Amino acid sequence: MIECVSCKAKYDSDEIIYTCEKCGAVLEVVVDVDVSKETFDCRKDTLWKYKEFMPVDESKIVSLDEGGTPFCKCEKLGKDLGVELYVKVEGSNPTGSFKDRGMSVGMTKAMELGVDTVGCASTGNTSASLAAYAARAGLRCIVLLPSGKVALGKLAQAMFHGAEVLSVNGNFDEALDAVTQLALEKHLYLLNSINPYRLEGQKSIGFEIVHELGWNSPDRIILPVGNAGNISAIWKGITEFHNAGYISNKPMMTGIQAEGASPIADAFRKNAMDIIPVKNPETIATAIRIGAPVSSIKALRAIYDSNGYSETVTDDEILAAQLELARKEGIGVEPASAASIAGLKKLVNDGIVDKGEQVVCVVTGHLLKDPNTAIEASTEPIEIEADVEQLKNILLKNK
Ligand SMILES: *Cc1c(COP(=O)(O)O)cnc(C)c1O
Ligand SMILES: [Zn+2]
């Protein structure tokens, strides 16, 4: 069953529907599961480990073994900040971002519904993921990207996996409006995160975190927020495991936005439920360069209900955190992902995060998604001849 998050109107799960026909709000899949947590023992480490919680037909699964990503304790960075820090490395998914989790479940639903064309608007990672999963499913794939604003790696993936890539003169929000119209006219099945099945896959990040911690919730989960689907999804997952009795506590959901694209953080500051869209969102973290997040109600609810927080960080803070995570812990992430680390640093400084808190930062996409930003932030290689003496000189000089 699908339910409106606002007026609670109910819809059948075979209906192709993206927003509530009665009030226009976003929808949520209602999952009712009654299994013991031992059910998941000895299963392969993918999101389908928790298949009882995935509301789709098991015989139609489209998967690239997404999920089961690394959960790395960061001793050095954690010590510097005075917290117990874990990083959930979503760049290790098949196409290099957490979008694969949502796409696996969303594509499975597409197969169940029997559609022949799928589509999305994307800041990059959704299109990269959709293109790969559509190829695997054998469906036609159309993606709309904001012209000139998509990181190189993501563009390469979408094109190489055979999607029909359209470059839109406009930003993400405008591209999403256009493709949503196409979907409402039934020309394609929309796999943006307004599609509630996407979030069903992404909620497995929450499942894995609490399972990894021995059926315990961390004090806090911090993640970057763009269209606000992921924070909503993780909270949904945590809540489902809590309702199932697997865990007795829940984390403070903490959403970080870029200063130039921060409608959720702005609403949080005013303790409001409604966002004021940002007309011309701007940030180097292109994956969260979004002015009108479709899942804002779900996200703000997650933040308020969990006694969480929302904050903004500057592009400079994002880039500094990206570099620090790469150099101190060996974890390479794209700029948007580093917003979670930049946010943690800011919240520790501001006294919002307490000393000794157990914190999980979700880093959402791989470093190689955006090679240009990485190269610009680095010093050029030193040119030498293939000569041992020259090599020795340099090694000794830089010691
Ligand atoms: C999609 C994406 C985000 C934002 O997630 P939302 O669900 O839109 O809030 C953050 N980081 C990366 C790398 C992404 O691909
Ligand atoms: Zn409604």
Side-chain angles (χ1 to χ4, degrees), residues 4-9 11 20-27:
C4 169
V5 298
S6 186
C7 75
K8 301 290 172 192
Y11 300 91
C20 180
E21 280 165 1
K22 302 205 168 64
C23 77
V26 287
L27 305 170

Side-chain angles (χ1 to χ4, degrees), residues 134-151:
R136 191 142 175 99
L139 301 185
R140 183 177 180 197
C141 174
I142 295 168
V143 308
L144 277 68
L145 302 174
S147 162
K149 294 291 183 181
V150 174

Side-chain angles (χ1 to χ4, degrees), residues 81-100:
L81 295 171
V83 297
E84 185 186 337
L85 177 62
Y86 295 86
V87 169
K88 184 72 172 153
V89 187
E90 288 297 295
S92 294
N93 277 297
T95 77
S97 83
F98 71 82
K99 299 296 197 299
D100 294 339

Side-chain angles (χ1 to χ4, degrees), residues 90 96-99 122-126 154 172 193 198-199 202 223-233 256-257 285-290 293-295 299 334-338 362-366 369:
E90 288 297 295
S97 83
F98 71 82
K99 299 296 197 299
S122 173
T123 59
N125 281 330
T126 299
K154 307 175 188 183
F172 168 81
S193 59
R198 280 272 312 277
L199 304 199
Q202 288 168 207
L223 69 155
V225 172
N227 223 3
N230 209 29
I231 190 167
S232 312
I256 308 298
Q257 297 206 286
T286 49
I288 52 172
R289 185 173 169 272
I290 291 173
V294 299
S295 295
E334 68 167 288
S337 312
V362 180
V363 292
T364 43
H366 200 280
K369 289 283 191 172

